[in-house]
Amino acid sequence: MFIPTILIISFVVFFIMQLPKGDYVSSYIARMQAEGEVFTQEDIAALRAQYGLDKNWVMRYFDWVFKIITKGDFGYSFAYGRPVWSVIMDRLGITIAVSLTIMAFTYLVSIPIGIYSALHQYSPGDYIFTAIGFLGMATPNFLLAIILMYLSFTWTGDPLLGLFSNEMLQEGIHLYNFGEFLQRMIIPTIVIGTAGTCGVIRTVRAQMLDELSRQYALTARAKGVSEATIVYKYCLRAALNPVASGLAGSLSSIFSGSTISAIVMNLSIQGPVLYEALKTQDTYLAGTILMTQAVLVVIGTLLSDILLAWLDPRIRFERKRS
Amino acid sequence: MKKKASTSKKLAAVLLTATMCMSALAGCGGTPKDASAGGNAAEGTESTGAGSAQGTDTAEGSSSAETQAGGASDYSEAPMLAELVSAGSLPAVEERIPSAEGVMVENVEQVGSYGDENIKMVLTDAGWGTGKPIEQGLFRFNSEGEVEPNVAKGYDVNDDATEYTIHLREGMKWSDGVDFTAEDCVFFYDHMCVPETFGKSLWDCFKASDGSTATFTKVDDYTFTVSFDVPKPNFINELCINAKWCFAPKHYHETILPEFIGEEAAQAKAEEMGFADVATMGKETGYYYWNVPGVPTLNPWVLSTEPGKSDVEGDYFEFVRNPYYWKVDQNGQQLPYVDKIEYTKISDASQVLIKTLAGEVTIADAGWNDIETLTENADSVGYHIVQWPSSSWGHAASQLELNQTAPDEDYRALFQTREFRQALSIAVDRDEFAKLISDGWQAGRQASPAEGALGYSEEWATKWTEYDPDGAKALLEGLGMVMGSDGYYDLADGKDFVLNILSYSDSGADDTYQVLSNYWNAIGIKSTYKTMDKDTLNNNIVSNEYDAVLSPVAPAETVSLGLRPDTLVPVRNYAEWYGEVGTWYASGGTEGIAPEGDLLELCNLYDQLKVAVGEEERSEIIDKMYQLHEDNIWVIGYMESAAILFSVDNDFVNFPETEMFSDEYRGLGIAHIDCCFFKK
Amino acid sequence: MSLWKKKKKSDEDYYLASQWTLMGRKLMHHKLAKFSIVLLAVLYVLALFAPFVAPYGLNDYDSNYKNSAPTKIHWVDENGKFTGPYVYKMTYVNNRETFKREWAEDTSEKFFLRFFAKGREYKLFGFLPCSRHLFEVEGENGGTGAKILLLGADNLGNDLFSRILYGSQISLTIPFAGTLISFVLGIVLGGISGYFGGAVDTAIQRIIEVLTALPTIPLWMALSAAIPADVPVPAMYLSITVIISFISWTGLARTVRGKFISLRNEEFVMAAQVAGVSPFRIMTKHLVPGFMSYLIVNLTLGIPSMIIGETSMSFLGLGMRAPATSWGVLLQEAQDITSIAQYPWRLIPLIAVIITVLAFNFLGDGLRDAADPYK
């Protein structure tokens, strides 16, 4: 099941990638011309031949897949002139670190708030969290990023653009500048994190409200089970069902990170690389990233199914039966 | 570095370029002999502009050079190099720089001192961005638009302009300490240009009018000749624009190119260096050589080879001083003054502003849209705004180019009429338009050479600029267009006419189109507008699937039609207004769409220009070409071009207050940042 | 006695009332939900009557008011006497030293506000020709007089207040169409997948995986090239929204599926199945109400992402584009440091978005409570 799905996805991905007009060579030429370069028709034809773009895309797709299967060779990135995996590895570590931080922030902040809001429905706290959550959600990420950077500039004189200061880029990250690195994580975490936080808060809150008024909760209460046990042992488990279902996509976003916000905030993570590769039709680089994402989506689906079963005994039992 | 000349003067000088540089440089060619007689390091070489005697301030410059009468022993170097010398890992400065006759003296405006502050820059893409500011060509343009010696010490040319003898600097070395000789220039031509090692067909500057190509011959270590079968009068100018540097480190390329080490070893070498194939390696090391660590160069700074600081695709990299750099200031201090250029990547051009506000850049582009924010924070952050005139014919987003080879025959015929272009031009109230678009900082005008530039005339700048909507309607009716029931003009045969305009994202045309379309609506011209990714637009242009473009990818701009005609003469498929005529010309008439009338005349004139020998003849032809543009207004412009803005660190000294910003002058390259330093 | 009777009567009403009536009643007791309904009603009425309320049109560029701050409205004259609202004409000069535009009020002439006055012509609801406006500055037509810019002006001198009103015509409608489509698709496909399981489930899950992995950027790029330039911008935006909603139902479908899997073996479902109730009925009557709260939340969360989702489409030339206006366009135009630093009023559309989104959310809260049979 796994392999055919991946193959279908990779084929569809490859098909869509070549849909826009032109190819890597034409976008390369456009950029070079903007810098004052001169190209003749022969130059262009030679470039196409060099990159193998004179063949049609189906041929190129099969060549690519064949090489992956037989040699584990994912091809070269046109733009970087290097094997695609070496390009991807450049940013993999930092991408995972950033994504995990943001994900941890999202869940650690929003699940407790969701529970609190459900237990204290219509309290001032509930309203405040709701309003803040929607504020974060209804502001486009890039606008929020710019606003926060500007505020940071007016208050501290440093807009905190990017994850690394010049000094960190030169010296690397060490213990003494780790604090500053964490400081630089604040804006990205808020910007990217709040976009997801509101969704999780509202989902958990609604789920909890549903579960808390269920018959089983009433029964448990009647039997004298402590409120904490009811809330955390029974209701919360059921309430997390949609959150678990959503995990499927999260795994692939850990790998690539967010895109447009990352561009605006100059985060050196995978998202902008993918965006650039798609725009310039750097096919093998984009294809490899997307295919890895697809693999992760499939794995994520599997994991989330397992998690669902773990959270909900009913699903678990049914699995056993069938 | 004394450049107080006004823009107009500078631009007008371009006209004289071709005329004067010939004589001036011929003179230069002779200087070495005089110099060796004089035995004076400073006087013996052509300090900046000293070769061109007509410049008033350069005369002053060379005199100041002469007052510095220090001998060769007076050379000094940066502390970081002095340390290496005393540690024994580097030869003494006198051994690193060319001989007293060969060394190039830059007469810097303020003599600087070495310090430990580095130049900080940001960019989105390495490519040329890192190259132009430090590029060293055989010859270079000075701010008067004249060619002056640089890597080469000078040249001589024979009477019929078929043989050029180029003199190099004795004792000059590559950044790895190996001697730089005529071999390297001949090697570049024979082994890199001719076999297309870096994937480019031979440049026009090496082709004579009859199609034959140049021959490079080494005379001695410091002299070589370039000869042609037929006269090639404009060779040095073209060299400056086409081939620029015209040399390559032979000793380096011999260790990697397949020609010398065999196909297999070269492939292995390429992979070891991280390139996909030999062709990529050839292109990167031969053409974008400054961006590959370890390639010897003649530039003031070379890419670091330290891990983590040497990858131009990475987030951070630096260029460190070339210990063998061959220029000194008038006090004999080896240039550059600054140890390093530190580059930080940004992912979006809008972040330049943020970096500027954070005080993290020494020189950065600045935009007119942000001018208020920039000036407001200038003092507290510690930078100032520098304005350089642009060589553009007008504000790019206010340039409208109608495809003279539009795919639809009826549209094409319409676009080819002057009256239609005139109607679109006079339909707009340029004063109101300019105020709306530029906040009033710029004024409305027709697309035409910048004020003071070659070809500028007030008449042209104001041609068809009088706001006259009724006149525009009359013109349209004169063309046989008929008012349709929808309130818009249709073609004579009743076919709907819609002006379909394309542009690319972030071109600035979103705003200009909104305003322009209102004016066009008012004269009964219906229009549509669509933006796309720049790459996608370029594809449309290459395949001739467009009617009109606002804010062209190749807006009209050049310091002189005779130097770089691409945006104004259909030499290839490039600028939007001439479309397929460019393909026609480039293919020698076998492909594309043949021009008629004035456009054909323009092509013919350019043909004549390529073989014109006398300077008088050349400028006469160039004048005619300008006249054709003025008559036809193929590019409609609505607003003047804004000056190019930079924010420059207040402590950064010697950065010129005004220079022409153009590709011919290598963008920031003309600022000669190797002569700039930080005030302590 | 009568009191008892009255009580009895109302009890009877209560017991006999349909589920929908009950929900409606409960909703009306929810204060915040009630307030939200009123607020949303006002927003929609404003959107409907936008050309009447808006003092200016979308093409009223004015170089004299480029990036102008909100107009100051005066109520009393120099002598402190109440005169009714009036404004002054604003003028500016470019200071080429500081690159500041220095604004000043031209106090030589007062321009009074007039209400329900005749002005620029427009078509109400798209067909009724009208020329009356809610308010206007007197003697202003032609752009030579004073202007009233309640919320300031954009970078072409357009009135931001008018643009927000016109923008609401788009932003209060199209995103909902999109949200609804993906909502229905998500429930139906997720429901089928979860309820039936087996091969159907596998097939739908694979489709979801493929859709999740789709690279949207090249898809939009290809689309943007394919859409002819003469398609009106709102129509293009609508079609894009529909396409987005055909891709974005997958998240909801996964959740619904998860829920259905856990619920389908509950006794009440079994009972229904044994009683011969059709699967469709089981799903709609027994399963879906079981997690109504989640669905309502999902619906209310979909709206803001659709409203602002458009801003990222504009990067690829697919979003709305001025002069056509939506809130997304306005936010897009404001997103640079200079707008925030120099013209902060250009962030006001953000408030409109947030108010709308919150109102929908609180309405959703009220609906949820009302739908809850245990309360």
Side-chain angles (χ1 to χ4, degrees):
Chain A
M1 209 59 246
F2 194 85
I3 305 284
T5 314
I6 301 291
L7 281 179
I8 292 171
I9 291 176
S10 69
F11 188 78
V12 172
V13 160
F14 222 84
F15 167 73
I16 291 178
M17 278 195 301
Q18 59 78 45
L19 276 183
K21 240 177 176 349
D23 53 24
Y24 177 73
V25 168
S26 52
S27 62
Y28 170 77
I29 288 167
R31 261 173 301 130
M32 291 296 112
Q33 282 185 335
E35 290 189 345
E37 278 284 335
V38 178
F39 289 89
T40 61
Q41 302 295 332
E42 296 94 76
D43 292 341
I44 297 171
L47 276 170
R48 288 232 155 82
Q50 187 197 328
Y51 290 127
L53 293 171
D54 41 357
K55 286 183 270 184
N56 88 11
W57 73 271
V58 182
M59 290 285 293
R60 280 186 286 132
Y61 170 75
F62 284 109
D63 278 355
W64 183 58
V65 171
F66 184 75
K67 272 195 184 156
I68 294 175
I69 295 172
T70 54
K71 295 195 223 158
D73 174 7
F74 284 80
Y76 271 79
S77 153
F78 301 145
Y80 291 82
R82 285 194 282 146
V84 291
W85 271 105
S86 101
V87 176
I88 293 174
M89 292 311 282
D90 279 352
R91 292 184 162 195
L92 193 59
I94 190 73
T95 308
I96 292 176
V98 170
S99 311
L100 284 180
T101 312
I102 291 169
M103 220 166 108
F105 168 83
T106 309
Y107 288 115
L108 289 181
V109 165
S110 51
I111 294 179
I113 291 181
I115 298 171
Y116 173 89
S117 293
L119 295 178
H120 304 86
Q121 197 190 4
Y122 302 137
S123 68
D126 178 24
Y127 286 131
I128 289 169
F129 285 129
T130 305
I132 294 178
F134 276 100
L135 196 75
M137 189 174 189
T139 314
N141 278 355
F142 25 97
L143 187 56
L144 187 61
I146 291 172
I147 294 175
L148 290 180
M149 285 191 288
Y150 182 70
L151 290 179
S152 166
F153 168 69
T154 43
W155 289 336
T156 68
D158 185 351
L160 292 177
L161 175 73
L163 289 173
F164 310 109
S165 64
N166 277 7
E167 187 200 303
M168 282 184 232
L169 288 166
Q170 287 166 37
E171 310 294 334
I173 296 177
H174 303 285
L175 214 54
Y176 70 89
N177 56 19
F178 195 70
E180 200 193 336
F181 173 70
L182 289 182
Q183 226 176 22
R184 288 177 169 266
M185 278 292 294
I186 296 175
I187 292 180
T189 310
I190 294 178
V191 170
I192 304 175
T194 46
T197 315
C198 181
V200 181
I201 293 179
R202 301 304 297 171
T203 308
V204 171
R205 178 180 178 274
Q207 285 285 334
M208 285 298 284
L209 286 174
D210 275 0
E211 298 298 330
L212 283 171
S213 54
R214 282 278 148 88
Q215 305 284 7
Y216 73 85
L218 290 178
T219 317
R221 230 170 253 143
K223 280 178 136 181
V225 179
S226 82
E227 195 61 30
T229 315
I230 299 174
V231 170
Y232 296 105
K233 191 153 179 214
Y234 304 123
C235 298
L236 183 59
R237 273 193 158 193
L240 288 180
N241 174 313
V243 179
S245 297
L247 270 179
S250 306
L251 204 58
S252 83
S253 71
I254 289 177
F255 171 71
S256 64
S258 68
T259 304
I260 293 182
S261 329
I263 295 174
V264 174
M265 292 182 284
N266 203 22
L267 307 183
S268 21
I269 58 177
Q270 214 77 268
V273 175
L274 172 63
Y275 180 73
E276 213 34 54
L278 285 171
K279 262 187 22 181
T280 56
Q281 306 208 18
D282 191 347
T283 325
Y284 303 127
L285 179 58
T288 306
I289 297 179
L290 289 169
M291 204 153 102
T292 314
Q293 279 186 349
V295 172
L296 291 173
V297 166
V298 176
I299 296 176
T301 313
L302 201 70
L303 286 181
S304 106
D305 281 351
I306 294 171
L307 196 60
L308 278 179
W310 176 74
L311 283 171
D312 195 329
R314 288 169 295 190
I315 299 177
R316 200 157 57 214
F317 290 142
E318 194 199 337
R319 282 277 147 84
K320 270 190 196 142
R321 251 190 344 229
S322 57
Chain B
M1 296 296 289
K2 293 213 165 185
K3 286 145 200 159
K4 288 276 150 63
S6 73
T7 322
S8 57
K9 184 180 154 200
K10 218 171 293 174
L11 281 163
V14 174
L15 171 69
L16 305 170
T17 305
T19 345
M20 295 193 171
C21 67
M22 294 257 311
S23 49
L25 285 172
C28 281
T31 37
K33 287 163 222 144
D34 315 338
S36 47
N40 180 313
E43 192 256 322
T45 49
E46 350 38 54
S47 44
T48 316
S52 40
Q54 66 273 25
T56 48
D57 12 279
T58 43
E60 199 184 315
S62 46
S63 66
S64 73
E66 274 171 69
T67 53
Q68 189 276 318
S73 57
D74 281 353
Y75 294 121
S76 54
E77 62 198 323
M80 84 176 250
L81 295 181
E83 260 172 52
L84 291 174
V85 172
S86 55
S89 51
L90 199 69
V93 61
E94 291 79 16
E95 290 160 45
R96 298 199 308 268
I97 61 176
S99 65
E101 300 81 45
V103 75
M104 177 159 167
V105 180
E106 292 268 23
N107 284 297
V108 298
E109 192 171 320
Q110 279 190 49
V111 173
S113 56
Y114 303 110
D116 46 16
E117 197 169 348
N118 295 331
I119 297 173
K120 296 184 205 68
M121 306 236 245
V122 292
L123 41 68
T124 48
D125 254 319
W128 281 103
T130 47
K132 285 185 191 176
I134 57 171
E135 186 182 294
Q136 301 299 326
L138 273 185
F139 301 91
R140 70 181 184 192
F141 283 106
N142 66 12
S143 18
E144 322 296 322
E146 298 149 2
V147 169
E148 63 180 27
N150 193 42
V151 168
K153 201 157 59 171
Y155 75 91
D156 301 309
V157 57
N158 64 1
D159 291 338
D160 60 355
T162 54
E163 188 176 273
Y164 291 81
T165 308
I166 295 172
H167 306 282
L168 301 175
R169 298 172 186 277
E170 231 167 285
M172 186 158 155
K173 293 183 171 61
W174 289 97
S175 57
D176 58 357
V178 175
D179 285 334
F180 167 74
T181 66
E183 289 273 344
D184 295 309
C185 301
V186 178
F187 173 85
F188 178 76
Y189 183 74
D190 287 346
H191 297 277
M192 305 197 74
C193 291
V194 176
E196 301 183 10
T197 303
F198 39 78
K200 287 199 142 285
S201 40
L202 196 64
W203 280 297
D204 284 346
C205 70
F206 296 129
K207 290 182 191 153
S209 54
D210 66 345
S212 63
T213 55
T215 310
F216 275 53
T217 318
K218 178 185 164 182
V219 176
D220 59 43
D221 269 0
Y222 299 108
T223 318
F224 67 97
T225 60
V226 181
S227 43
F228 296 89
D229 294 349
V230 292
K232 177 77 178 174
N234 204 29
F235 172 64
I236 296 292
N237 267 326
E238 283 184 44
L239 179 75
C240 245
I241 287 164
N242 274 174
K244 295 134 193 157
W245 50 89
C246 199
F247 44 78
K250 184 180 175 205
H251 64 283
Y252 174 81
H253 286 285
E254 273 178 351
T255 63
I256 60 167
L257 291 182
E259 191 186 340
F260 304 101
I261 62 170
E263 228 15 274
E264 257 170 60
Q267 178 66 33
K269 194 85 195 166
E271 276 166 29
E272 182 196 316
M273 292 171 79
F275 299 118
D277 46 40
V278 175
T280 313
M281 178 175 71
K283 186 176 78 186
E284 296 295 326
T285 59
Y287 196 61
Y288 299 105
Y289 64 88
W290 60 89
N291 283 337
V292 181
V295 180
T297 80
L298 298 179
N299 294 340
W301 293 273
V302 293
L303 182 59
S304 165
T305 48
E306 232 180 293
K309 298 177 181 178
S310 61
D311 179 11
V312 293
E313 300 294 342
D315 296 324
Y316 175 82
F317 54 91
E318 54 190 35
F319 280 72
V320 293
R321 68 161 68 244
N322 169 2
Y324 295 90
Y325 196 54
W326 38 279
K327 291 184 192 174
V328 295
D329 68 10
Q330 55 263 51
N331 286 2
Q333 299 189 87
Q334 190 193 16
L335 296 173
Y337 289 121
V338 180
D339 285 342
K340 288 177 186 173
I341 307 180
E342 304 173 350
Y343 280 103
T344 316
K345 274 289 178 64
I346 48 173
S347 45
D348 192 84
S350 66
Q351 287 155 4
V352 178
L353 175 64
I354 301 175
K355 284 280 189 185
T356 309
L357 293 179
E360 289 172 5
V361 277
T362 308
I363 313 163
D365 301 332
W368 275 98
N369 284 340
D370 300 319
I371 190 83
E372 279 190 69
T373 316
L374 278 167
T375 38
E376 206 172 82
N377 295 291
D379 291 340
S380 57
V381 179
Y383 59 83
H384 60 283
I385 302 289
V386 170
Q387 296 193 36
W388 283 16
S390 137
S391 59
S392 178
W393 278 25
H395 178 238
S398 307
Q399 286 188 21
L400 174 71
E401 297 197 355
L402 303 176
N403 183 0
Q404 295 298 305
T405 60
D408 183 303
E409 298 277 343
D410 295 331
Y411 281 33
R412 187 187 303 173
L414 188 66
F415 293 166
Q416 287 179 354
T417 62
R418 279 180 210 182
E419 291 78 7
F420 184 70
R421 296 193 293 268
Q422 184 179 358
L424 288 186
S425 180
I426 62 175
V428 175
D429 179 353
R430 281 178 172 70
D431 289 342
E432 173 76 4
F433 174 82
K435 243 175 120 186
L436 265 176
I437 297 302
S438 74
D439 269 343
W441 301 119
Q442 281 90 44
R445 102 203 259 281
Q446 186 59 269
S448 64
E451 194 174 342
L454 180 60
Y456 169 81
S457 76
E458 200 191 324
E459 202 183 330
W460 187 355
T462 54
K463 185 177 177 183
W464 296 350
T465 58
E466 189 88 2
Y467 178 45
D468 182 9
D470 294 328
K473 283 184 173 177
L475 281 168
L476 295 176
E477 273 158 26
L479 285 168
M481 294 185 85
V482 284
M483 179 55 81
S485 53
D486 57 354
Y488 292 108
Y489 280 103
D490 296 333
L491 295 175
D493 59 2
K495 197 166 88 173
D496 266 351
F497 174 76
V498 183
L499 184 61
N500 294 308
I501 292 176
L502 299 183
S503 194
Y504 57 93
S505 327
D506 296 328
S507 67
D510 284 7
D511 282 351
T512 51
Y513 174 74
Q514 274 190 65
V515 181
L516 291 174
S517 63
N518 259 8
Y519 285 113
W520 294 330
N521 279 337
I523 61 159
I525 291 294
K526 189 177 182 174
S527 61
T528 65
Y529 172 77
K530 192 167 156 178
T531 55
M532 44 187 72
D533 194 78
K534 200 169 188 174
D535 298 344
T536 316
L537 176 63
N538 202 57
N539 280 318
N540 279 48
I541 293 163
V542 171
S543 54
N544 198 35
E545 290 169 37
Y546 67 103
D547 290 340
V549 173
L550 189 62
S551 193
V553 178
E557 63 178 322
T558 184
V559 288
S560 162
L561 263 184
L563 287 180
R564 187 143 215 174
D566 308 51
T567 61
L568 297 157
V569 182
V571 288
R572 62 198 166 98
N573 188 328
Y574 182 46
E576 287 87 335
W577 67 270
Y578 56 69
E580 284 288 281
V581 175
T583 316
W584 172 85
Y585 186 86
S587 66
T590 54
E591 292 166 49
I593 294 169
E596 289 162 22
D598 281 357
L599 197 46
L600 179 62
E601 176 67 18
L602 188 68
C603 297
N604 290 339
L605 282 171
Y606 188 63
D607 277 337
Q608 292 172 26
L609 183 69
K610 286 204 284 193
V611 294
V613 181
E615 266 325 302
E616 213 165 295
E617 193 188 343
R618 273 183 63 82
S619 55
E620 201 174 293
I621 296 169
I622 292 174
D623 281 350
K624 276 190 199 158
M625 291 167 74
Y626 274 114
Q627 190 58 47
L628 282 176
H629 263 285
E630 181 175 348
D631 290 347
N632 284 285
I633 311 284
W634 281 302
V635 180
I636 304 170
Y638 295 99
M639 194 169 86
E640 69 182 359
S641 173
I644 309 287
L645 301 180
F646 297 102
S647 61
V648 180
D649 190 327
N650 285 343
D651 293 336
F652 198 57
V653 186
N654 280 350
F655 190 84
E657 282 307 311
T658 177
E659 284 289 353
M660 170 73 64
F661 190 83
S662 75
D663 186 59
E664 292 85 332
Y665 297 172
R666 313 314 286 147
L668 265 183
I670 198 160
H672 301 166
I673 55 174
D674 48 351
C675 299
C676 301
F677 66 97
F678 287 96
K679 203 158 55 187
K680 289 226 173 93
Chain C
M1 191 67 166
S2 62
L3 194 72
W4 181 83
K5 223 178 192 170
K6 212 173 176 181
K7 187 166 192 299
K8 176 122 197 265
K9 176 95 175 73
S10 68
D11 276 358
E12 214 165 277
D13 272 359
Y14 184 81
Y15 296 131
L16 292 177
S18 75
Q19 197 190 342
W20 291 110
T21 324
L22 284 177
M23 266 180 74
R25 270 193 208 171
K26 276 203 218 158
L27 192 58
M28 281 304 123
H29 284 293
H30 198 292
K31 275 193 202 133
L32 208 51
K34 219 159 68 181
F35 179 72
S36 298
I37 291 175
V38 174
L39 193 69
L40 287 171
V42 170
L43 286 175
Y44 276 96
V45 168
L46 282 177
L48 201 57
F49 289 93
F52 166 71
V53 182
Y56 303 99
L58 288 178
N59 285 324
D60 288 355
Y61 313 114
D62 191 339
S63 61
N64 296 320
Y65 284 90
K66 195 175 151 116
N67 284 323
S68 157
T71 311
K72 199 173 160 201
I73 298 173
H74 301 265
W75 297 88
V76 291
D77 65 12
E78 313 71 64
N79 309 321
K81 211 178 108 207
F82 180 83
T83 57
Y86 66 91
V87 294
Y88 287 120
K89 189 175 161 178
M90 300 294 295
T91 55
Y92 69 86
V93 280
N94 279 357
N95 181 331
R96 287 192 177 261
E97 287 296 308
T98 60
F99 289 103
K100 273 266 173 212
R101 288 182 311 145
E102 288 153 0
W103 290 88
E105 274 187 332
D106 174 4
T107 52
S108 59
E109 193 181 352
K110 292 189 181 74
F111 295 87
F112 286 92
L113 289 190
R114 296 180 308 170
F115 295 90
F116 299 103
K118 276 199 173 177
R120 179 179 44 85
E121 304 212 334
Y122 60 93
K123 289 204 170 99
L124 198 58
F125 312 130
F127 60 88
L128 272 179
C130 285
S131 62
R132 297 231 172 242
H133 288 264
L134 183 61
F135 62 95
E136 256 208 345
V137 175
E138 71 177 355
E140 178 226 322
N141 277 333
T144 48
K147 271 197 149 177
I148 174 145
L149 304 162
L150 287 180
L151 305 178
D154 68 9
N155 65 334
L156 290 178
N158 258 330
D159 177 28
L160 209 53
F161 175 68
S162 303
R163 288 191 76 194
I164 291 177
L165 284 176
Y166 284 108
S168 68
Q169 293 185 322
I170 302 280
S171 293
L172 288 177
T173 51
I174 295 181
F176 300 95
T179 313
L180 270 181
I181 294 174
S182 65
F183 184 68
V184 171
L185 277 175
I187 293 183
V188 170
L189 290 170
I192 292 174
S193 181
Y195 183 82
F196 294 104
V200 182
D201 181 34
T202 312
I204 291 179
Q205 289 313 302
R206 296 297 88 79
I207 293 174
I208 290 178
E209 279 164 6
V210 173
L211 283 181
T212 317
L214 274 192
T216 42
I217 292 164
L219 193 62
W220 301 142
M221 279 167 60
L223 260 178
S224 102
I227 294 176
D230 51 358
V231 172
V233 176
M236 179 178 84
Y237 175 45
L238 177 63
S239 43
I240 296 291
T241 308
V242 171
I243 295 171
I244 296 179
S245 52
F246 272 97
I247 296 177
S248 61
W249 53 270
T250 55
L252 178 62
R254 287 272 310 157
T255 309
V256 172
R257 168 179 174 269
K259 273 286 175 187
F260 271 35
I261 292 178
S262 71
L263 290 176
R264 72 178 173 207
N265 294 311
E266 295 276 305
E267 267 127 29
F268 68 91
V269 181
M270 299 271 215
Q273 277 169 342
V274 173
V277 181
S278 75
F280 177 75
R281 214 177 146 75
I282 295 179
M283 280 194 248
T284 51
K285 288 280 166 186
H286 301 281
L287 291 175
V288 169
F291 56 110
M292 201 50 144
S293 316
Y294 172 76
L295 293 181
I296 289 171
V297 164
N298 184 283
L299 203 55
T300 52
L301 287 174
I303 290 163
S305 40
M306 280 282 187
I307 291 181
I308 64 168
E310 172 209 337
T311 50
S312 38
M313 301 300 290
S314 306
F315 274 124
L316 299 165
L318 273 174
M320 298 277 297
R321 195 184 48 235
T325 294
S326 71
W327 292 350
V329 170
L330 296 173
L331 291 182
Q332 167 98 16
E333 287 176 4
Q335 54 146 328
D336 57 81
I337 295 270
T338 294
S339 292
I340 295 167
Q342 309 291 338
Y343 325 115
W345 52 89
R346 294 183 61 182
L347 288 176
I348 292 175
L350 191 57
I351 297 173
V353 176
I354 289 168
I355 288 178
T356 310
V357 167
L358 281 177
F360 271 105
N361 173 65
F362 289 128
L363 175 61
D365 268 2
L367 278 175
R368 197 210 75 88
D369 288 354
D372 188 348
Y374 299 108
K375 281 203 171 156

